[in-house]
Amino acid sequence: MSERYVALGSSMAAGPGITPRAPGSPRRAGRSARNYAHLAADALGLELADVTYSGATTAHILTDSQHGAPPQAEALDGSESLVTVTIGGNDVGYVPMLFAAGLPKPLRSLPFAGAKIRELLDPGARDRALGAVAGSLVEVGRTLRRRAPRATVLFVDYLTLLPPYGAPFSPAEVALGRHVAATLERLTAEAAAVTGCGVVRAAAASRDHHAWSSRPWTTRFGLPLPGRPAPLHPNADGMRAVADLVIEAVGT
């Protein structure tokens, strides 16, 4: 019997728009049969339980139901040999902040939508969210270690979206996006270290494969299109690259 691998996380792990969709998965989950967990499980010969779900926060890993799905940590029964998790970006509004930056500026003056857009682009609000997620990431690590005591538990951080210079946003918005990404990368590594988990450094590996590079592992801002990877998310090459990093981490 194959050893068990449980994959947890948000859309950055689920792979919305990367075809085909994982058989039997909820459409709202955006779970691809070619996300990094599926690719790694195939290569490692592991039995995969993929409970990744687009839009998930740390609370959806730990305690909260999401569209009827139980908290993701409940998928762990102690028999796992491998657990991966990519989480935290939705807690801090990382991709929503970049989407807000890409929207037409007149929308910011609208009564309701404008207030939300301005909040997402407020550096103080993003820093408060980053401060809050630090403890949540530690709790995720502790919970996964407790529920899967014999497993290799790996935090997989976020692929690089923004280039090191220039982007189709204002300089202030680009700086904020890079700050959120760098802080989330650091907090993920710190949570892994504190809780005895490993970390797969997808962010560092993808510095030269940002969405505006010649060989991108992520997609640019734009409208979602059927059969195409979601905007500001991993593409198929990015998922393959992260799978290779996970496989390497398991082998070390």
Side-chain angles (χ1 to χ4, degrees):
M1 181 184 239
S2 297
E3 294 189 295
R4 190 165 184 259
Y5 167 19
V6 177
L8 308 97
S10 62
S11 57
M12 292 294 191
I18 300 174
T19 57
R21 183 165 60 96
S25 63
R27 287 195 175 276
R28 295 174 85 165
R31 200 177 297 154
S32 170
R34 302 291 294 168
N35 64 23
Y36 73 72
H38 280 80
L39 297 173
D42 287 347
L44 295 167
L46 300 177
E47 177 187 343
L48 177 64
D50 183 358
V51 295
T52 58
Y53 212 114
S54 295
T57 65
T58 53
H60 293 124
I61 302 290
L62 298 168
T63 57
D64 290 5
S65 171
Q66 187 177 8
H67 305 303
Q72 292 182 26
E74 291 187 8
L76 302 171
D77 61 14
S79 68
E80 300 77 24
S81 62
L82 176 63
V83 178
T84 57
V85 60
T86 299
I87 204 67
N90 288 321
D91 295 64
V92 302
Y94 176 37
V95 170
M97 175 256 145
L98 296 178
F99 265 100
L103 292 172
K105 289 194 170 43
L107 292 178
R108 300 180 192 184
S109 62
L110 295 177
F112 299 107
K116 179 59 178 174
I117 292 170
R118 292 193 301 273
E119 191 272 341
L120 284 167
L121 296 173
D122 176 30
R126 293 310 101 225
D127 276 335
R128 288 189 292 275
L130 286 163
V133 83
S136 299
L137 288 168
V138 170
E139 186 56 33
V140 166
R142 287 176 177 156
T143 297
L144 302 188
R145 281 256 51 96
R146 184 175 67 252
R147 295 188 69 119
R150 55 181 289 271
T152 297
V153 180
L154 300 173
F155 278 91
V156 181
D157 66 16
Y158 286 71
L159 286 167
T160 299
L161 290 169
L162 293 173
Y165 51 85
F169 312 125
S170 75
E173 290 160 355
V174 171
L176 178 58
R178 292 195 190 111
H179 168 67
V180 171
T183 306
L184 189 59
E185 180 182 355
R186 174 177 59 81
L187 294 175
T188 299
E190 290 174 355
V194 166
T195 59
C197 300
V199 60
V200 173
R201 299 182 181 274
S206 58
R207 299 275 193 247
D208 294 332
H209 297 279
H210 56 80
W212 283 264
S213 69
S214 60
R215 294 172 55 211
W217 290 353
T218 51
T219 56
R220 300 183 185 187
F221 175 82
L223 293 175
L225 296 173
R228 300 286 298 276
L232 297 172
H233 276 78
N235 61 23
D237 287 345
M239 282 298 184
R240 175 74 266 173
V242 177
D244 289 343
L245 293 171
V246 170
I247 294 163
E248 181 182 1
V250 171
T252 57

